[in-house]
Amino acid sequence: MKKFLFFLFLLFVIYLIGINTVPQYIETQRNPVKIAPPYSVSSEAKALYDRLDFIADLHCDALLWGRNLNKRGDRGHVDFPRMREAHVALEMFTIVSKSPAGQNMQSNSEDAFDNITPLTIAKGESPWNWFSLMNRTLSQSNALADFVENEEEKAIFIKSKTDLEKLISIRKTDKQVIGAMLGIEGGHALEASLENLDKVFKAGVRMIGPTHFFDNEFGGSAHGENSEGLTDFGKSAVRKMNELGIFIDLAHSSPAIIDDVLEISTKPVIVSHTGVRAVLDSQRNLSDTQIQKIAANGGIIGIAFFDMAVGEPELPNIIASIQHVLDLVGIEFVALGSDYDGSVAVPFDITGLPLIVEGLMEAGFSEDEIRAVMGENVKNFFLKNMN
């Protein structure tokens, strides 16, 4: 009882002193940029980058940190002004509702202390969010909706193919208009309720990863303890996600879940942020067989930017990872999946994306291939598969 009371007292202290100051400090420590902006590239790379019609990224956790995404920040990796500066048309903002203490790529326990609880309290969120993963999820969903609304006509919350077509049409004459999609990292956010799938769909969620860093009601994580495939609940959830029009994100899923989802899903899948084992041999990354199965499913693979996904130095290995997917299955299956603001150190923030174009040019990619990687593949994937 004494330990419980001390824990409550500690949370109360975090709440009193933490608003604004603690989240800012934590984010600064957890989301560093190895090379600070501004970034420079060759005139040829800049010219090609400026010609790109549609730049997209499949994974960003900026909603977690409580920053105002309507304002240009001096920490973290992504906000709306920096998206515009980088000419990015579409960002997939993802919701993190729980993260285990001691988080690592090898093995994490579902029962470990949750890192997000003190952060939630320190941000000054409602007590209703302190111990409810679902409430945290809906809170971040509402935050994205508010950020988009604050932009008035300069941002679109992409929930349908019609929304995406509107974004594409408007950007032909106004590149200041940006699009935001919404995903969830880890099906534990649903709190084992299929009814909660309806709630998050209504809130705008269009992508969910079955697992994050630990095993949950869906099944095993790539970084969990049991390595199992989909549970009965997980299979039911996958089928309902197919019915609703929520894409399944296989990043962080155990190999058994990847196989199970590819067997039962009637819709193409996404791997929103990953590396490939041919470049960095890690349980975090996709094998050649998995890449081939995902391509056969019609899916799309987002290459992450941080060292635990691609290795060091990051930029050459990002290019090598993209090259490997191209060589193995074709250019149309690969995209950008930065994992910006995901508690990772990245080589550059979103305004550094021209560096990828320069790297692709130096590696011998054609302009059409560069356009595909930088966003055309994501655009075409969603145009083909969104409801």
Side-chain angles (χ1 to χ4, degrees):
M1 183 65 179
K2 289 182 178 179
K3 288 183 178 179
F4 178 71
L5 291 174
F6 176 75
F7 177 66
L8 288 180
F9 173 73
L10 181 61
L11 294 182
F12 182 66
V13 171
I14 290 172
Y15 177 73
L16 287 179
I17 70 173
I19 298 175
N20 296 322
T21 57
V22 171
Q24 290 177 16
Y25 174 78
I26 294 173
E27 184 181 14
T28 300
Q29 298 301 307
R30 297 303 301 271
N31 291 315
V33 178
K34 292 188 175 183
I35 301 174
Y39 308 100
S40 61
V41 296
S42 68
S43 58
E44 293 82 7
K46 184 180 186 306
L48 197 161
Y49 189 86
D50 290 343
R51 290 197 298 272
L52 298 178
D53 298 318
F54 197 92
I55 300 171
D57 177 42
L58 284 173
H59 198 97
C60 168
D61 293 331
L63 293 171
L64 176 61
W65 305 101
R67 275 190 287 120
N68 183 350
L69 299 186
N70 299 120
K71 296 182 178 180
R72 197 186 198 287
D74 56 4
R75 65 183 191 277
H77 309 144
V78 175
D79 48 51
F80 289 178
R82 281 184 279 183
M83 282 180 64
R84 292 193 179 94
E85 183 179 333
H87 310 311
V88 172
L90 180 66
E91 181 66 69
M92 177 73 78
F93 291 94
T94 42
I95 295 168
V96 178
S97 62
K98 182 178 177 180
S99 171
Q103 179 176 296
N104 62 85
M105 292 293 175
Q106 286 73 45
S107 179
N108 300 271
S109 170
E110 180 181 0
D111 299 322
F113 178 77
D114 171 34
N115 287 325
I116 308 301
T117 298
L119 178 62
T120 300
I121 295 169
K123 288 190 295 182
E125 292 192 22
S126 163
W128 294 107
N129 297 352
W130 291 8
F131 304 108
S132 169
L133 303 186
M134 188 61 193
N135 286 350
R136 293 178 192 176
T137 298
L138 294 176
S139 179
Q140 290 187 47
S141 303
N142 293 335
L144 182 61
D146 289 343
F147 291 137
V148 170
E149 185 177 359
N150 290 341
E151 296 286 323
E152 297 179 345
E153 301 300 317
K154 293 297 183 180
I156 301 174
F157 196 158
I158 307 297
K159 302 177 185 178
S160 66
K161 179 180 176 180
T162 300
D163 292 334
L164 180 57
E165 290 172 335
K166 179 181 177 182
L167 174 67
I168 294 166
S169 176
I170 292 175
R171 282 184 60 86
K172 290 178 180 178
T173 56
D174 187 356
K175 299 293 187 184
Q176 294 298 300
V177 179
I178 56 175
M181 290 186 69
L182 186 61
I184 293 175
E185 273 205 281
H188 48 267
L190 301 175
E191 297 179 338
S193 168
L194 291 179
E195 291 181 358
N196 281 339
L197 271 173
D198 294 303
K199 292 180 181 178
V200 299
F201 180 81
K202 184 178 180 181
V205 169
R206 295 298 180 266
M207 181 182 79
I208 299 176
T211 58
H212 195 202
F213 271 92
F214 53 89
D215 309 322
N216 63 25
E217 299 89 351
F218 273 73
S221 163
H223 328 280
E225 296 178 320
N226 65 40
S227 302
E228 293 178 356
L230 288 171
T231 62
D232 289 341
F233 172 80
K235 292 175 183 177
S236 297
V238 165
R239 293 188 181 100
K240 184 161 187 176
M241 287 163 66
N242 283 167
E243 293 171 5
L244 289 171
I246 298 176
F247 293 98
I248 300 161
D249 176 13
L250 294 177
H252 295 293
S253 288
S254 68
I257 279 189
I258 291 175
D259 287 341
D260 286 347
V261 168
L262 290 173
E263 181 178 344
I264 70 173
S265 177
T266 59
K267 300 292 180 64
V269 300
I270 296 172
V271 188
S272 69
H273 59 305
T274 188
V276 299
R277 294 193 183 186
V279 173
L280 181 66
D281 189 9
S282 163
Q283 68 196 70
R284 169 74 176 78
N285 292 342
L286 296 176
S287 69
D288 284 1
T289 298
Q290 289 169 335
I291 293 169
Q292 289 167 332
K293 288 181 178 180
I294 290 162
N297 163 270
I300 191 166
I301 297 166
I303 299 300
F305 293 177
F306 61 99
D307 56 3
M308 288 178 288
V310 297
E312 294 182 292
E314 292 90 348
L315 181 57
N317 288 336
I318 293 168
I319 305 304
S321 301
I322 293 169
Q323 180 76 61
H324 184 73
V325 177
L326 182 159
D327 293 341
L328 190 64
V329 294
I331 193 64
E332 64 268 33
F333 301 105
V334 65
L336 305 181
S338 66
D339 200 19
Y340 277 144
D341 292 309
S343 294
V344 292
V346 292
F348 42 79
D349 71 11
I350 197 168
T351 64
L353 290 183
L355 292 166
I356 294 181
V357 166
E358 184 173 58
L360 292 171
M361 291 176 69
E362 291 174 351
F365 282 64
S366 69
E367 180 163 338
D368 284 346
E369 289 170 336
I370 292 171
R371 286 179 178 275
V373 171
M374 297 301 293
E376 290 293 322
N377 285 344
V378 170
K379 180 181 76 174
N380 293 337
F381 176 86
F382 286 129
L383 284 175
K384 182 178 181 180
N385 297 301
M386 282 192 85
N387 292 341

